[in-house]
Amino acid sequence: PSSLRLMHYTAGQWEDITTSVDTTNSFVFGDTTSFSVFAVLEPDSVTVSTITPSAGTHGSITPGTVQTVAFGADSTTFTITPDAGYRIDDVVVDGVSIGAVGGHTFTNVTADHSISAGFSAIPVTLSTSTQLFGPSKLRFRRTLGLTGTISPATAPGTVRLSAWVLVAGVWQGAGTAQVAAIDGAYLYAFTPTRRGAWRFVATYTGGVDGATIYSPSTSAAKTVIVR
């Protein structure tokens, strides 16, 4: 009969390798690249396989219950849907990742299968602003205390303080320093090495907190006259 199938046992399961059936001469033809146990059988309506779906938090897979599929038939399409604010992170079929796909159909089903989906939050980017405060005048060899804020105050990470000194009418770099931003505030202590005009700029280097990305920002320049 035309329903005969040529099966090949490989990798721990039966694989349908049938390419054609000659009902006149009672031949079954198949195609494989390896040798193992072969069997010819005639599936009936009770020969079924199961497909087990599962989904992580913040999303769903439809259908979400175990499905039965007749031998050699195609399964229904499993649709993966993330919750609002989330995205498909990965889909795993029979223990192997197939990427962040939105759906999957099992074709020519002759064995049990599984499909699972995972989800992750969509990153949100927030703009930041950086401010720098301090005195406008300072006595030579006194320590200059510069303070600043980062908004929003939840922004994690570091602030880079850059210094310049005016020499013969030209601003020359005088070094940089990294300070920690804690609860939206930072402090920088600096001792000028010469009299004259000094300029300071604070740059928040950006940061990541969970699925929130905080963009970098730079303060206005702060000029201090050292006498």
Side-chain angles (χ1 to χ4, degrees):
S2 59
S3 60
L4 287 176
R5 313 302 293 175
L6 178 61
M7 306 298 295
H8 176 220
Y9 192 77
T10 180
Q13 64 181 19
W14 288 100
E15 175 189 14
D16 186 356
I17 61 171
T18 308
T19 57
S20 64
V21 178
D22 184 344
T23 57
T24 301
N25 299 299
S26 298
F27 288 133
V28 181
F29 300 92
D31 184 20
T32 184
T33 58
S34 62
F35 291 100
S36 184
V37 178
F38 294 88
V40 176
L41 56 83
E42 182 181 6
D44 55 33
S45 59
V46 299
T47 304
V48 296
S49 298
T50 60
I51 299 177
T52 305
S54 61
T57 56
H58 305 298
S60 63
I61 184 169
T62 306
T65 58
V66 175
Q67 302 293 299
T68 57
V69 183
F71 186 92
D74 296 344
S75 74
T76 185
T77 296
F78 289 85
T79 302
I80 295 98
T81 306
D83 293 343
Y86 290 82
R87 62 186 179 185
I88 301 170
D89 193 45
D90 193 18
V91 176
V92 177
V93 171
D94 297 334
V96 179
S97 170
I98 62 172
V101 299
H104 182 74
T105 303
F106 294 86
T107 60
N108 189 27
V109 176
T110 59
D112 294 342
H113 295 283
S114 65
I115 179 171
S116 62
F119 308 91
S120 61
I122 298 174
V124 176
T125 300
L126 296 181
S127 297
T128 67
S129 62
T130 301
Q131 293 183 298
L132 179 63
F133 308 99
S136 57
K137 296 180 181 180
L138 183 72
R139 289 183 179 274
F140 183 52
R141 296 193 185 282
R142 295 290 181 88
T143 298
L144 173 64
L146 294 171
T147 61
T149 60
I150 298 180
S151 179
T154 53
T158 59
V159 176
R160 183 177 67 252
L161 273 296
S162 301
W164 294 265
V165 61
L166 189 62
V167 179
V170 178
W171 288 105
Q172 295 184 359
T176 61
Q178 297 277 352
V179 296
I182 301 174
D183 296 329
Y186 62 92
L187 170 66
Y188 176 53
F190 179 79
T191 303
T193 55
R194 62 183 296 161
R195 292 181 172 86
W198 287 78
R199 179 174 291 172
F200 301 89
V201 171
T203 300
Y204 171 59
T205 55
V208 178
D209 183 11
T212 303
I213 300 172
Y214 295 88
S215 62
S217 57
T218 300
S219 73
K222 174 66 179 177
T223 300
V224 180
I225 303 301
V226 180
R227 300 187 183 278

